[in-house]
């Protein structure tokens, strides 16, 4: 059975002094693409740091942020439809 994973940036990776806003600088996948668990979906720049956001599951990208978009720790970076036992939220 397919499940959805909402991919967010873990708070422990968000730089404490970097503020609460980041910018998507690169997107590696588009809706409909297949992705493997651990594969990088996007890069987010916060201050001078660039964070890689990885997929927590293997599956198909249903939606993903666009380059240049502003994100916060609460933002959903991507939705990945995977195969598993139920749906949920994942931090990558």
């Amino acid at each position: 059975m397919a499940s959805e994973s909402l991919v967010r940036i873990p708070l422990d990776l968000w730089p404490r002094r970097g503020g609460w806003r980041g910018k998507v600088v690169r997107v590696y996948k588009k809706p409909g693409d297949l992705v493997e668990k651990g594969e990088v979906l996007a890069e987010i720049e916060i201050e001078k740091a660039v964070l890689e956001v990885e997929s927590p599951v293997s599956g198909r990208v249903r939606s993903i942020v666009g380059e240049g978009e502003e994100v916060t720790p609460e933002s959903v970076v991507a939705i990945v439809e995977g195969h598993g036992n139920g749906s949920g939220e994942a931090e990558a």
Side-chain angles (χ1 to χ4, degrees):
M1 172 162 79
S3 64
E4 282 185 355
S5 292
L6 303 179
V7 183
R8 299 178 192 269
I9 303 166
L11 281 176
D12 61 334
L13 293 181
W14 202 274
R16 302 218 187 277
R17 67 177 221 280
W20 293 105
R21 301 237 180 267
K23 182 178 179 181
V24 180
V25 293
R26 186 152 187 197
V27 177
Y28 292 94
K29 296 292 180 179
K30 62 185 184 299
D33 284 352
L34 294 176
V35 64
E36 294 293 325
K37 180 178 179 177
E39 193 171 354
V40 176
L41 296 169
E43 292 180 351
I44 312 293
E45 182 177 12
I46 303 146
E47 278 285 303
K48 296 179 181 176
V50 176
L51 304 176
E52 292 184 334
V53 180
E54 298 177 352
S55 179
V57 297
S58 294
R60 187 174 302 277
V61 177
R62 191 168 121 204
S63 69
I64 192 163
V65 294
E67 288 184 13
E69 284 189 42
E70 189 174 89
V71 293
T72 66
E74 297 84 26
S75 299
V76 174
V77 176
I79 299 174
V80 178
E81 291 179 338
H83 299 285
N85 300 329
S87 63
E89 229 174 271
E91 294 183 342

